[in-house]
Amino acid sequence: MVRHSLEYSKEEHNTVNRYKHQGIHLTQFPFQCEPQPLTLHPANYSLETIHTIINTTPVLHVSFSPSPSDPFPVILPLIGQMGSFSHPSASLAEPLDLYLHGYVSSRIMNLTSSTSTSSSSPPKGLPVCICASKVDGLVLSLTPYSHNYNYRSAVLFGHATLVEDADEKMWAMELITNSVVPDRWRQTRVPPIPSEMQSTRILKVTIASGSAKIREGVPEDSAADMQNIDNIWTGVLPLYEQYGEPVPGPYNKVEEVPEHVKGYGEETSRGNREYAVEAARKGAPVKIKQRNEDEE
Amino acid sequence: MVRHSLEYSKEEHNTVNRYKHQGIHLTQFPFQCEPQPLTLHPANYSLETIHTIINTTPVLHVSFSPSPSDPFPVILPLIGQMGSFSHPSASLAEPLDLYLHGYVSSRIMNLTSSTSTSSSSPPKGLPVCICASKVDGLVLSLTPYSHNYNYRSAVLFGHATLVEDADEKMWAMELITNSVVPDRWRQTRVPPIPSEMQSTRILKVTIASGSAKIREGVPEDSAADMQNIDNIWTGVLPLYEQYGEPVPGPYNKVEEVPEHVKGYGEETSRGNREYAVEAARKGAPVKIKQRNEDEE
């Protein structure tokens, strides 16, 4: 059975190519000062891969240029989630929009609305770049040069507009709240009162392009270094997001921590740990087997 | 004894003010859709605070505009560390440069060198924005509107140039390697061979301004909600970076995991956990005491 998976097309902005500037964010992750000599980690344009990284990252970094006269771009740490208001049941492998939540200043509002009403010519909205990065382990090899991270990184380019439609806004608020802790929305005092709705701003990013880069596996060194050095420990120190024991607040009246909080923290931590440990071992089976045989 | 601590001056770019666009990244963190009604978390301009957040964040997000004709800024996930080559013993509370490491494309090289050689007029280098964010806990309150993160976020604005001086480059490589795992540099095959030096690029960012924002503490809700709702669990789910057991690589010949790896992972994880749990409890002592007295 052939499975057809959707990919973002390789446009100028998202092509991961070290001779094109727009995509290089993905080829120059920490320590990977040049493409690794031993292994290539090709860029990934799969919608499912990219959307999954975005949706499981607690903080997205969102960049835009405040004005043509300002040399500095700005980065905002925001919370966000991929979704489709018109097709809420769409999977992560399908085309989706990115909904961002946070305090939206009057300036951003002006930037998003002025660009969206400028004319009928697409694309409308504020051009933004969104990046989500996870470090899954420190890859400690024989030389500083060959050190690396196991990581997952995704980037999206798109145009941001303010969500004006009341139904879409409410839907996005629920989407984002439940992305932090699944099912949290209906466990709280909802619906929001009018003043809460009014002062909440949701940005919707229509995606133009995207890409992802993933590095997983054991350390990699040159054959020359491997033959001559036997006193340097090499391996991976796994790294992952861990949730601690829930801490009840001062006015909490519910004795037992509910399952949607406690269970979520435990399950997510376990999944994160398993991913990081598995990533630390990838690519090593043959050599590990040989070492075991030697010992026996 | 009065302690004088250095702060970044409040310039147009880094001022955290919701009516100025450049600084809003810090006022609109996830869920804080408007400044919280109950508690203000003022921006922090302390060099020590900002530099500490930068130096303890495994991945920095670095943004720049590739060209005036390109609407999209680009975000690069890079590894970086604050330091002073001219005063290596400088503390985190003193003025420092930011050294960034990663694959630097020919395009970035052109951008950093063309702007630096353009004229004698300062500032030289590529204008960049750097953001470091840590989520320390999910703050689960009575309403979606009052949900929040405990977090630490720092931003820097500055100008990036390529490090050309061989001594400074070697010094920065050691600084950055040891920032990943302290003391790692001298545990590896050093110094780098000429080809490694040649293909390693280090960017130095001269800092123009910076700021930080920190949210810690218990949930906060309106008095009206607190009086009427007693079936919603409120509290904080702490979140922190956890290192797992070191996983030896396939060609590792060192039986015992060295202390600089194992000890570092364990100590850092413990420190991270303690910070997140402490942050989850801040601001609650009075009410917690009253509840205990009621029970007795």
Side-chain angles (χ1 to χ4, degrees), chain A residues 82-127:
Chain A
M82 308 296 308
S84 170
F85 178 60
S86 54
H87 301 284
S89 64
S91 80
L92 286 174
E94 295 178 67
L96 300 170
D97 301 307
L98 173 62
Y99 289 87
L100 296 168
H101 180 49
Y103 171 69
V104 175
S105 71
S106 53
R107 176 60 185 244
I108 295 191
M109 280 182 64
N110 290 344
L111 284 171
T112 55
S113 46
S114 67
T115 42
S116 46
T117 57
S118 59
S119 75
S120 61
S121 64
K124 66 174 188 174
L126 177 69

Side-chain angles (χ1 to χ4, degrees), chain A residues 13 18-19 21-22 24-25 27-34 58-59 61-66 70-79 101-103 105 107-108 127-129 131 133 135 138 140-145 147 149 153 157-159 176-177 180-181 184-185 187-190 196 199-200 208 218-221 225-226 229-254 256-258 261 265 280-281 284 287 291, chain B residues 13 18 21-22 24-25 27-34 58-59 61-66 70-79 101-103 105-108 127-129 131 133 135 138 140-145 147 149 153 157-159 176-177 180-181 184-185 187-190 196 199-200 208 218-221 225-226 229-254 256-258 261 264-265 280-281 284 287 291:
Chain A
H13 288 98
R18 68 195 188 101
Y19 299 109
H21 63 288
Q22 292 94 337
I24 39 65
H25 62 282
T27 61
Q28 82 240 59
F29 207 81
F31 282 110
Q32 213 164 349
C33 29
E34 286 288 324
V59 177
H61 287 82
V62 181
S63 179
F64 67 97
S65 299
D70 194 329
F72 291 114
V74 170
I75 300 184
L76 316 178
L78 292 174
I79 186 169
H101 180 49
Y103 171 69
S105 71
R107 176 60 185 244
I108 295 191
V128 293
C129 173
C131 186
S133 307
V135 178
L138 314 181
L140 306 176
S141 50
L142 294 171
T143 75
Y145 182 78
H147 274 57
Y149 278 169
S153 171
F157 296 93
H159 294 85
I176 291 170
T177 302
V180 176
V181 173
R184 182 67 187 170
W185 179 268
Q187 310 277 350
T188 62
R189 191 271 288 143
V190 282
E196 292 173 343
S199 56
T200 299
V218 297
E220 295 166 317
D221 277 290
D225 275 323
M226 278 196 267
I229 299 171
D230 56 7
N231 60 342
I232 300 174
W233 187 86
T234 53
V236 176
L237 191 57
L239 177 57
Y240 54 93
E241 288 166 355
Q242 168 81 42
Y243 288 97
E245 283 292 310
V247 178
Y251 50 87
N252 173 59
K253 294 173 185 164
V254 179
E256 194 177 348
V257 181
V261 174
R281 293 188 172 133
K287 285 181 178 168
R291 291 165 65 91
Chain B
H13 288 99
R18 69 196 186 99
H21 63 290
Q22 291 95 338
I24 39 68
H25 62 282
T27 62
Q28 82 241 62
F29 207 82
F31 283 109
Q32 213 164 349
C33 28
E34 286 289 323
V59 177
H61 286 83
V62 181
S63 178
F64 67 97
S65 298
D70 195 329
F72 292 114
V74 169
I75 300 184
L76 316 178
L78 292 175
I79 185 167
H101 180 49
Y103 171 69
S105 70
S106 53
R107 175 61 185 241
I108 294 191
V128 293
C129 173
C131 187
S133 307
V135 178
L138 313 181
L140 306 176
S141 51
L142 294 171
T143 74
Y145 182 77
H147 273 58
Y149 279 170
S153 171
F157 296 93
H159 294 84
I176 291 170
T177 303
V180 176
V181 173
R184 183 66 187 171
W185 178 268
Q187 309 278 351
T188 61
R189 192 271 288 144
V190 283
E196 291 173 343
S199 55
T200 299
V218 297
E220 295 166 318
D221 277 289
D225 275 323
M226 279 195 265
I229 299 171
D230 56 7
N231 60 344
I232 300 174
W233 187 86
T234 54
V236 176
L237 191 56
L239 177 57
Y240 54 93
E241 288 166 356
Q242 167 82 41
Y243 289 97
E245 284 292 311
V247 177
Y251 50 87
N252 173 60
K253 294 173 185 165
V254 179
E256 194 178 348
V257 182
V261 175
Y264 171 71
R281 293 187 171 134
K287 286 181 179 168
R291 290 165 66 92

Side-chain angles (χ1 to χ4, degrees), chain B residues 1 5 39 65 81 93 98 111 157 188 202 208 217 234 293:
Chain B
M1 199 172 75
S5 63
T39 309
S65 298
Q81 198 72 4
L98 173 62
L111 283 172
F157 296 93
T188 61
I202 301 282
T234 54
E293 286 167 2

